[in-house]
Amino acid sequence: MCGIIGYTGNQQAASILLEGLANLEYRGYDSAGIAVLDPSDQPIVHKSPGRLSVLRSQVERTMPVGVCGIGHTRWATHGGPTERNAHPHVDCHGEVVVAHNGIVENCVELRDGLTKQGHEYVSQTDTECIPHLIESYMAQEYPLEEAVRMAAKQLRGAHAVVVASSREPGKLVAFRLGNAGGIVVGYGKNEMFLASDLPALVAHTRKVAYLAGGEAVVITPHEARYSRLDGTVVQKTITQAPYDRVSAVKGEFKHFMLKEIYEQPEAVMNSMRGRISFEDNRIFLNEVPYSGQELRGLQRVVLVGMGTSLHAAMVGRMWFESLARIPAEVDNSSEFRYRDPLIDERTLVVSVSQSGETADTLAAMELAQEKKARQLTLCNYEGTQSTRLADGTLLIRAGLEIGVASSKTFTCSLAVLFMLAQHLAARMERNGNGHLSGLVPDMVRLPQLLGGILTNAKQYEQLAHKYAHYPSFLYLGRGLNYPLALEGALKLKEISYIHAEGYPAGEMKHGPISLIHNEMPVVALMPQDGLYEKMLSNVNEVKARGGRVLAVATEGDKAIAEKADDVIYIPKVSPYLYPLLMSVPLQLFAYHIAVQRGCDVDQPRNLAKSVTVE
């Protein structure tokens, strides 16, 4: 998750920027850079691929002098982790400097238009269009603040952006679109700070304010002015940040789990970084070590996992069959290892384990290794045991997840499995159902769509007040959303200690229907996909028996609003991608019920983050 730092004040900026980036290293990155406005107000830019220590060595040889600047740590999205692609980026005349967290969904369109206007690009990044856009407005005599706002309106996607300019030295402008990537404003004495996360600031100040989506801020050494992107003035409350590191990492959130739920737009963005070609809408996973010929020799895929990872694997199985047209099955790791599975070198075993150290999944991988199967693993951390057992590792890049109940690691696992299914389809020359070409643009919209779901926190608090007293819940889903019913029920069980079960909706008449009554709410997952009408029939069956229904449905669905007791809406998207959007409301519903019941959300009883013994 890219790190951003900005400073303007009366101290030398370079050392403050490097220190701030060091405090953001936990977010992960593959290159870094800083830009400092020197005494003549010209930006001096230092950038390098690799660790921050490389950049520090470079900067310390010719330490730039200046009291205003910005810094950035980058995960590659467009273009590899090179010096040229590292942030900050500048315009044609070296007057506008930008650090950016996000994916510019319309970068190809913007790049083509700006190139026709005479702008020259030097990197492969989507970010570089932002300083050129700002430059184009400043060339029309717009002041920096207004030029930034106008440029922001041209960008599609979710973004956090910080801008400096030699035209208006001592001033930084930042804005946020959607909920991917944060901006924290820090108030010092005759100095001001900007950062993507609180740990970058607490060494200097504890007085902070947070930028919301659709807002901008202009800072000088003596003030901060806030507005909406249409110029409407916004008043901010300055809060006192905690000083200890653990609380600082938690930031403005009451619990780590809530913070991690809200980090999902950015986390999913990081899962996609460097794995998508925006020019031709292709997925490329260089971590998969097999040639097209080797992949075409496979006869089936077997996915293994436990708990939340198993639910992600269940969705992945359906994607592999539908998109890559290869037979796939999914198994609980603890069962797989004891049933003498029929696998060989023509089988691809895909293990999913956020920690990379889950005991049963490792045992399943060892068995697959003995049977000569090919193996890929999805996990969140390099160097774990699962990465040593597998032929190839697909890091999900969710970042540090402290809450015991998985949230962002689940959505990131889904994102990577979805990309893997498309990668296999392309390399195996199997365009399943003819859908591949249109899926990448939909996928690139995910951070923005996820951010939109996160904007209505009040709804979940109200639902928690209404539903927290019920002793049991039934979750129903079909197709790709059946595993989400299992995951939603698991989340509620894990953190609120309420009994909940997930079922395929078609199974309801085979037993669960006998439990339906007005004290057992049914959570119906029913986006407008090919199985919507069948889910609607299930809802009718529940209502006919006096049951309460909480539906998670597609925006604009009036039919379900007339039948269900309550509805949570998610945006319309390709049916393949509904599981990623569906996960967020289920997490928020479980979280707010747990809070309402006074449960320990981050450390639920009897649970551990990683199960490392059988």
Side-chain angles (χ1 to χ4, degrees):
M1 298 188 286
C2 300
I4 292 175
I5 182 74
Y7 175 79
T8 180
N10 52 23
Q11 301 186 64
Q12 291 301 308
S15 58
I16 293 173
L17 299 176
L18 290 171
E19 176 194 9
L21 294 180
N23 289 328
L24 295 173
E25 280 193 287
Y26 70 92
R27 295 167 65 90
Y29 63 97
D30 51 32
S31 60
I34 65 170
V36 175
L37 297 181
D38 70 9
S40 64
D41 299 322
Q42 293 305 303
I44 306 300
V45 181
H46 290 272
K47 306 192 289 187
S48 71
R51 307 306 298 170
L52 187 60
S53 57
V54 178
L55 175 68
R56 186 183 293 277
S57 297
Q58 179 190 123
V59 170
E60 287 177 348
R61 285 196 296 270
T62 54
M63 183 69 79
V65 175
V67 294
C68 180
I70 61 177
H72 189 270
T73 49
R74 174 188 188 242
W75 272 122
T77 304
H78 295 64
T82 65
E83 180 177 341
R84 181 170 290 186
N85 290 332
H87 298 209
H89 286 285
V90 299
D91 66 336
C92 295
H93 297 94
E95 294 178 340
V96 177
V97 192
V98 168
H100 166 230
N101 188 8
I103 295 176
V104 181
E105 295 174 12
N106 55 334
C107 64
V108 175
E109 171 190 331
L110 291 173
R111 186 177 186 126
D112 289 346
L114 288 162
T115 301
K116 288 176 183 176
Q117 294 176 26
H119 293 267
E120 296 182 2
Y121 281 72
V122 298
S123 77
Q124 301 167 297
T125 68
D126 57 330
T127 297
E128 196 181 350
C129 70
I130 301 175
H132 289 299
L133 267 177
I134 295 169
E135 177 188 24
S136 69
Y137 287 114
M138 293 184 76
Q140 300 172 49
E141 303 305 320
Y142 287 101
L144 177 63
E145 180 179 354
E146 186 64 21
V148 170
R149 281 206 299 261
M150 294 180 75
K153 294 174 185 177
Q154 301 295 312
L155 305 178
R156 289 207 302 265
H159 309 278
V161 177
V162 177
V163 184
S165 173
S166 60
R167 295 252 198 118
E168 299 187 34
K171 177 185 292 185
L172 297 179
V173 183
F175 66 86
R176 192 177 178 207
L177 295 176
N179 282 309
I183 295 287
V184 187
V185 181
Y187 291 74
K189 187 175 182 180
N190 298 322
E191 58 184 359
M192 296 288 291
F193 305 83
L194 293 169
S196 52
D197 219 345
L198 197 54
L201 304 183
V202 290
H204 301 281
T205 181
R206 296 177 62 192
K207 296 168 64 176
V208 298
Y210 296 89
L211 213 59
E215 291 182 349
V217 63
V218 179
I219 66 169
T220 66
H222 306 292
E223 66 170 350
R225 291 185 289 104
Y226 300 90
S227 66
R228 301 288 299 171
L229 288 177
D230 62 5
T232 305
V233 174
V234 173
Q235 300 298 324
K236 284 287 178 182
T237 301
I238 300 174
T239 60
Q240 194 78 358
Y243 190 76
D244 66 283
R245 181 166 175 79
V246 172
S247 297
V249 172
K250 194 186 299 181
E252 61 185 315
F253 297 96
K254 185 176 181 181
H255 296 98
F256 281 110
M257 183 181 180
L258 186 61
K259 181 177 190 284
E260 287 150 9
I261 289 172
Y262 273 79
E263 286 175 343
Q264 286 175 113
E266 187 175 1
V268 168
M269 186 190 306
N270 290 330
S271 295
M272 295 188 288
R273 291 183 187 281
R275 292 166 166 166
I276 295 177
S277 169
F278 291 81
E279 283 72 23
D280 53 9
N281 289 331
R282 282 191 309 111
I283 302 290
F284 53 95
L285 299 180
N286 296 329
E287 307 98 313
V288 177
Y290 313 122
S291 66
Q293 183 177 349
E294 289 173 311
L295 291 173
R296 288 189 289 273
L298 296 174
Q299 291 189 340
R300 64 179 176 143
V301 178
V302 177
L303 298 101
V304 295
M306 301 284 288
T308 290
S309 293
L310 176 63
H311 300 155
M314 292 172 71
V315 179
R317 171 204 177 184
M318 289 183 261
W319 282 332
F320 289 163
E321 291 197 336
S322 181
L323 296 175
R325 307 306 296 161
I326 183 169
E329 61 186 80
V330 65
D331 213 336
N332 184 297
S333 300
S334 64
E335 296 298 317
F336 178 84
R337 62 183 291 200
Y338 290 120
R339 68 174 177 83
D340 193 21
L342 296 175
I343 58 175
D344 56 25
E345 66 278 359
R346 295 166 296 178
T347 305
L348 174 62
V349 173
V350 178
S351 56
V352 185
S353 169
Q354 65 87 18
S355 68
E357 300 289 350
T358 303
D360 285 301
T361 299
L362 294 177
M365 294 179 71
E366 289 167 356
L367 177 62
Q369 193 176 60
E370 291 171 13
K371 291 178 175 287
K372 311 299 183 187
R374 300 180 186 275
Q375 290 202 68
L376 296 174
T377 191
L378 276 69
C379 75
N380 200 28
Y381 304 103
E382 293 185 71
T384 56
Q385 183 62 15
S386 70
T387 69
R388 295 193 288 271
L389 286 170
D391 305 324
T393 298
L394 294 166
L395 293 174
I396 64 172
R397 302 176 184 163
L400 181 65
E401 188 176 70
I402 294 174
V404 167
S406 298
S407 54
K408 62 179 179 174
T409 53
F410 176 66
T411 47
C412 288
S413 294
L414 288 177
V416 174
L417 285 167
F418 187 61
M419 289 187 286
L420 179 57
Q422 293 178 79
H423 177 84
L424 293 180
R427 298 299 302 277
M428 298 170 77
E429 300 175 357
R430 298 173 182 173
N431 186 352
N433 298 328
H435 290 311
L436 285 185
S437 61
L439 290 176
V440 169
D442 264 350
M443 191 172 188
V444 172
R445 292 173 58 221
L446 281 173
Q448 183 178 14
L449 296 178
L450 290 167
I453 295 171
L454 291 165
T455 59
N456 194 2
K458 276 289 180 194
Q459 177 186 18
Y460 297 97
E461 293 175 16
Q462 293 165 356
L463 289 171
H465 280 287
K466 186 173 183 177
Y467 285 95
H469 70 279
Y470 288 101
S472 193
F473 281 73
L474 181 64
Y475 284 67
L476 298 177
R478 287 179 181 262
L480 284 166
N481 295 298
Y482 160 51
L484 272 294
L486 295 173
E487 177 62 14
L490 176 62
K491 282 293 157 285
L492 194 65
K493 281 185 280 196
E494 284 180 315
I495 63 174
S496 74
Y497 315 142
I498 293 175
H499 173 258
E501 296 295 334
Y503 269 90
E507 184 76 3
M508 191 172 72
K509 290 181 181 178
H510 297 265
I513 199 168
S514 66
L515 299 173
I516 300 297
H517 60 92
N518 62 3
E519 287 297 307
M520 184 176 179
V522 174
V523 180
L525 312 185
M526 46 189 311
Q528 289 181 324
D529 57 14
L531 296 169
Y532 173 78
E533 295 297 335
K534 293 186 180 296
M535 282 298 305
L536 204 56
S537 296
N538 292 126
V539 169
N540 287 331
E541 290 168 344
V542 172
K543 295 303 294 180
R545 288 155 180 82
R548 290 184 171 275
V549 174
L550 168 60
V552 185
T554 306
E555 287 175 350
D557 183 351
K558 296 179 181 178
I560 191 58
E562 295 172 358
K563 297 178 183 295
D565 296 272
D566 295 283
V567 184
I568 299 171
Y569 286 110
I570 59 175
K572 186 174 181 60
V573 72
S574 163
Y576 287 112
L577 292 171
Y578 276 127
L580 284 103
L581 300 186
M582 191 71 67
S583 62
V584 177
L586 299 179
Q587 293 164 3
L588 286 170
F589 181 64
Y591 169 82
H592 284 287
I593 283 185
V595 171
Q596 178 72 18
R597 290 165 61 91
C599 301
D600 187 344
V601 173
D602 286 333
Q603 292 289 331
R605 67 189 182 207
N606 304 329
L607 293 179
K609 186 65 181 168
S610 177
V611 181
T612 56
V613 294
E614 185 177 0

